[in-house]
Amino acid sequence: FFCYGLKLVTTFRTRTSSQGLLALGAYTDPLGLESKRAQRDLKVAKALTYTCYQMYARMPLGIAPESVTFTEKTDKDFIPHIKYYILRPETVESLYILHTLTGDPVYREWGWEIFQAIDYHCKRTVGFASLKDVTDNSNTDAKDRFDDKMESFFLSETLKYLYLLFDPDSDIDILNKHVFNTEAHPFKIFPR
């Protein structure tokens, strides 16, 4: 299925906001967080986030491919399907949301691993670059490993969510006071 839309197929894309939305839905469920529905949604959100984290953790560079295919034909649960990485924010967005809601430090640990891998493998002299193949760890300095571009969402979303994940003094309240737009800009919710 696509990690960003929950379409059931065998391909899993690492660009998703669905797990963060499920977690927010659980915490704002009209029946309360302890309701059966809210607990189901939170469990699914955590499981999807873990799966997205595994897309990073199980790759040689610690960087997720654009998509993977689940398979029973090998000793692995999944294999890379589309091998490039363009600095996407959706997984770290979900780590931020789940950490903020649950307080579970595992989401910070996963975020730190992802940040370190991005910093080590994608950082260039004047910015960050996309990777052409996250399964190739033969030469970290070879110019043909990189796609010489940095998507604008890397700064506006990926790094912002990573920063917020580690900011202990953030005033952002995602349950009561703020909402993020699609480019990760927090907006204050005005009272009625």
Side-chain angles (χ1 to χ4, degrees):
F1 57 93
F2 296 125
C3 199
Y4 65 87
L6 296 181
K7 181 178 180 183
L8 293 176
V9 293
T10 59
T11 301
F12 191 91
R13 293 186 185 260
T14 55
R15 55 180 189 225
T16 181
S17 299
S18 58
Q19 56 271 39
L21 293 174
L22 281 167
L24 284 168
Y27 274 78
T28 58
D29 191 300
L31 300 176
L33 180 59
E34 297 307 317
S35 72
K36 187 175 179 180
R37 179 178 60 194
Q39 287 300 301
R40 177 203 64 202
D41 290 351
L42 185 57
K43 181 179 179 180
V44 171
K46 289 178 177 182
L48 286 172
T49 301
Y50 176 76
T51 301
C52 286
Y53 163 70
Q54 289 300 315
M55 302 300 115
Y56 286 82
R58 293 188 189 184
M59 291 296 111
L61 304 179
I63 304 258
E66 182 70 5
S67 71
V68 300
T69 300
F70 289 100
T71 181
E72 295 177 355
K73 297 177 184 177
T74 70
D75 61 342
K76 299 176 182 176
D77 298 330
F78 60 83
I79 55 173
H81 177 70
I82 300 173
K83 296 180 180 181
Y84 62 78
Y85 173 71
I86 60 170
L87 308 164
R88 288 198 183 275
E90 289 83 2
T91 297
V92 294
E93 173 186 7
S94 295
L95 295 175
Y96 164 71
I97 290 171
L98 279 162
H99 177 267
T100 300
L101 296 175
T102 68
D104 189 336
V106 74
Y107 300 112
R108 275 189 171 162
E109 293 169 17
W110 295 348
W112 182 243
E113 288 177 30
I114 290 169
F115 171 75
Q116 288 181 308
I118 292 169
D119 189 54
Y120 184 79
H121 294 289
C122 301
K123 190 174 184 179
R124 308 307 296 151
T125 306
V126 292
F128 288 78
S130 301
L131 296 174
K132 293 180 180 178
D133 184 350
V134 299
T135 64
D136 177 14
N137 63 356
S138 58
N139 185 351
T140 57
D141 291 326
K143 290 183 181 180
D144 60 344
R145 292 189 64 196
F146 302 98
D147 193 2
D148 190 20
K149 67 179 181 178
M150 181 176 71
E151 302 287 348
S152 63
F153 55 70
F154 177 67
L155 295 175
S156 68
E157 295 179 71
T158 307
L159 289 181
K160 186 183 302 176
Y161 282 121
L162 283 166
Y163 174 83
L164 289 171
L165 179 61
F166 296 101
D167 180 12
D169 301 319
S170 175
D171 291 332
I172 295 175
D173 178 350
I174 60 174
L175 285 178
N176 301 302
K177 296 181 182 176
H178 298 91
V179 64
F180 286 99
N181 72 2
T182 57
E183 293 302 314
H185 302 305
F187 287 95
K188 190 169 186 169
I189 300 170
F190 295 106
R192 294 179 194 202

